Amino acid sequence: LFASISNAWLSGQWDIHQMSHPLPTTLITLALALKIGLAPLHTWMPEVLQGLDLTTGLVLSTWQKLAPFCLLLQVQPANATLLLVLGITSTLVGGWGGLNQTQLRKILAYSSIAHLGWMILVLQFSPSLTFLTLLVYFIMTFSLFISFKISNATNINTLATSWAKAPALTAIIPLILLSLGGLPPLTGFLPKWLILQELTKQDLAPLATVAALSALL
């Protein structure tokens, strides 16, 4: 709200396509980054997701990302570096954060932060690629949350003992997790591969290398 009001004050325009002044554009980008939980504005996300049940967590991880992303696609930030910094920080924080967790929802929150980082990295170069990544991420997260809901698992120990209850489901869950991690030949690898290719085309090979290494975590 503050960003759009200051934009109207500075440029006399309320239209989102007319955001030419760098200050409100940067402000609105940061506000949307906070809304979807990009690092370094991510601290609320793991805690909130941990406190929710699986169905509400699913809504927060998927549906809640659509509106901010639509706005981010329309606001072309005056400062291109801002999105790259937000993106690379998110991939690193998402990778590191999930390492010492035993709670599934917290791991998924950090996974969400990392995936959003990948999307933001390529947003200004190829919006269609961002959309593809978002779609693949939605499908994988949806499958995972539904699987956890069926097996009633909220931490890793419950997941380990769910073999007796639902063997078929327990066999599928590691595959979805590996896909979410971006392991070839699973679906989750496709967007990452295309994003790395796009970043290299844009002469951002060092950034692509850091992003690829963060995905290993």
Side-chain angles (χ1 to χ4, degrees):
L1 279 171
F2 178 63
S4 52
I5 290 167
S6 56
N7 179 55
W9 181 33
L10 289 163
S11 65
Q13 290 286 345
W14 284 97
D15 199 332
I16 195 164
H17 299 293
Q18 307 276 331
M19 294 191 75
S20 51
H21 200 283
L23 177 70
T25 318
T26 309
L27 273 176
I28 205 159
T29 310
L30 287 171
L32 291 166
L34 173 68
K35 203 167 167 56
I36 52 178
L38 284 174
L41 310 160
H42 68 287
T43 38
W44 63 273
M45 178 106 177
E47 302 302 327
V48 169
L49 200 59
Q50 182 54 37
L52 298 171
D53 65 282
L54 289 167
T55 317
T56 324
L58 171 64
V59 173
L60 180 73
S61 302
T62 55
W63 194 247
Q64 291 284 299
K65 306 271 186 263
L66 278 175
F69 255 102
C70 290
L71 290 171
L72 272 172
L73 279 166
Q74 291 174 68
V75 178
Q76 284 302 321
N79 185 0
T81 327
L82 179 65
L83 283 184
L84 293 176
V85 170
L86 284 170
I88 204 70
T89 318
S90 298
T91 54
L92 289 167
V93 166
W96 279 113
L99 284 179
N100 56 352
Q101 301 293 341
T102 54
Q103 295 292 335
L104 292 173
R105 281 166 295 186
K106 271 197 174 173
I107 293 174
L108 282 174
Y110 282 111
S111 152
S112 168
I113 294 164
H115 276 84
L116 291 169
W118 280 88
M119 292 172 217
I120 292 297
L121 271 179
V122 81
L123 183 75
Q124 53 201 341
F125 308 122
S126 171
S128 53
L129 201 47
T130 296
F131 184 68
L132 171 76
T133 318
L134 192 65
L135 200 63
V136 171
Y137 166 72
F138 276 10
I139 294 165
M140 292 189 296
T141 309
F142 188 78
S143 325
L144 213 48
F145 268 101
I146 297 297
S147 310
F148 289 162
K149 196 167 170 58
I150 293 168
S151 58
N152 208 7
T154 51
N155 58 30
I156 290 180
N157 297 340
T158 324
L159 205 57
T161 54
S162 65
W163 188 259
K165 282 190 291 181
L169 191 64
T170 316
I172 291 168
I173 289 174
L175 283 174
I176 306 173
L177 284 167
L178 288 172
S179 180
L180 203 60
L183 194 80
L186 300 163
T187 322
F189 173 62
L190 170 77
K192 288 188 175 174
W193 181 27
L194 293 171
I195 288 171
L196 289 174
Q197 192 182 350
E198 183 60 42
L199 288 174
T200 336
K201 272 186 203 163
Q202 300 290 341
D203 292 333
L204 292 168
L207 206 65
T209 313
V210 175
L213 291 173
S214 75
L216 296 176
L217 295 167

